[in-house]
Amino acid sequence: MARAELLTELDERVLLDAPLAPLLGLQVRHLGGALAEERSGAGARGAVAEPYLLYLIGLGLPHLKDAVVARRAELVGELRVSGRKPYTFLTAGERAADAFDEGTLARLRELKRARDPQGVFRANFPVGA
């Protein structure tokens, strides 16, 4: 069971002082560089302005599932998240619409219909019909 969030700033105190359990892991990835540059051809979403990506993971075992979900929510609630979701880090229960604004999603849907009308190319989180 994973969850990813884009952070607008990093609060080390929250990540280092609090217990991680029942989560198995927590990753903070420093972004920036080419990801943050506004340029043509930078992908469907364009530049990623957020400086950090937070990735949390825990086991979805029946006796741990609720505690994992709660701990993820607690940590995310204490951090400054942008509300944007990185498409390549979407997890169960999320959709492509969580990663793209309406205009971008409409453009991706049109491209999908035009370039792949038979639905040959598939994704875990499809852009839709």
Side-chain angles (χ1 to χ4, degrees):
M1 296 178 57
R3 181 171 177 174
E5 297 288 345
L6 292 168
L7 302 178
T8 58
E9 68 179 48
L10 187 60
D11 186 346
E12 300 92 356
R13 180 185 41 83
V14 171
L15 300 176
L16 298 175
D17 292 347
L20 185 60
L23 300 177
L24 294 176
L26 175 150
Q27 294 178 0
V28 176
R29 298 178 185 200
H30 187 251
L31 305 177
L35 285 173
E37 292 177 6
E38 290 289 343
R39 63 188 193 289
S40 64
R45 268 178 62 164
V48 178
E50 296 86 350
Y52 302 100
L53 173 104
L54 173 70
Y55 185 72
L56 304 166
I57 190 161
L59 294 175
L61 299 173
H63 66 287
L64 292 175
K65 185 177 181 181
D66 291 342
V68 167
V69 169
R71 186 66 189 125
R72 288 184 327 192
E74 288 170 8
L75 280 170
V76 169
E78 294 179 35
L79 296 166
R80 293 194 178 192
V81 299
S82 69
R84 294 188 343 148
K85 290 286 190 172
Y87 179 71
T88 54
F89 283 88
L90 290 177
T91 60
E94 296 176 323
R95 307 167 301 131
D98 295 322
F100 301 111
D101 61 70
E102 289 182 30
T104 300
L105 192 56
R107 189 181 56 162
L108 291 172
R109 286 178 174 157
E110 180 55 36
L111 282 169
K112 174 75 171 153
R113 281 191 294 274
R115 301 291 181 163
D116 186 26
Q118 303 301 317
V120 174
F121 294 100
R122 307 225 174 189
N124 288 337
F125 301 96
V127 295

